[in-house]
Amino acid sequence: GYRVTTYTSSVEALERFEFNPQDFDLIITDAVMPSLSGIELTKRVLKTRPDMPVILCTGHSELVDETEAFKLGFSEFLRKPVRHNELAVAAERALTLAAP
C-alpha cells in the first residue's frame, strides 16, 4: 500500500527531496553509494526535516554499526542481505515512531 519512489543516484534523490521534502514519509538508503553516501545523504535530509524517518541498510559493518547509526539519526538499521519481511517490519516501525 506504499507509493515508492526510487533513485539510482543519491544526488538525484537528495535533489528531489530538497525540492519538496513534504512529499516523503520515509527514506531507505544504503550506506555505500557513489558520490554521496547514505550517511551523508541522511545528514543533509535531517537538516531539512529532522523528523524524517530513515532506514539504513548496509553490508559494510566497518563503516557504521547499529549504535553509531542511531546516534547519527537513523530510525532503523538493517544488515544485508535484507529479507522483504524485515524491511516491511522496519518500515512500519519507523513510520509508527515518526507519527505525530
Side-chain angles (χ1 to χ4, degrees):
Y2 298 114
R3 186 185 68 184
V4 178
T5 305
T6 62
Y7 292 91
T8 57
S9 163
S10 55
V11 173
E12 287 179 27
L14 180 61
E15 288 171 354
R16 175 59 181 91
F17 173 81
E18 288 176 335
F19 179 72
N20 195 347
Q22 298 308 317
D23 280 355
F24 299 90
D25 298 315
L26 172 69
I27 293 176
I28 302 169
T29 186
D30 195 338
V32 178
M33 296 184 292
S35 302
L36 188 64
S37 74
I39 293 167
E40 186 58 35
L41 170 72
T42 299
K43 286 178 182 176
R44 293 179 61 181
V45 162
L46 294 177
K47 282 183 183 177
T48 302
R49 283 223 18 223
D51 63 322
M52 175 61 68
V54 183
I55 298 173
L56 178 67
C57 302
T58 186
H60 299 276
S61 59
E62 67 277 0
L63 290 178
V64 63
D65 64 16
E66 188 169 3
T67 301
E68 183 65 19
F70 288 122
K71 286 180 186 175
L72 291 170
F74 290 95
S75 307
E76 294 287 328
F77 178 85
L78 298 174
R79 288 209 184 276
K80 292 180 188 179
V82 178
R83 294 187 312 268
H84 288 60
N85 63 328
E86 277 182 297
L87 183 57
V89 168
E92 187 66 32
R93 195 168 38 230
L95 289 166
T96 300
L97 292 174

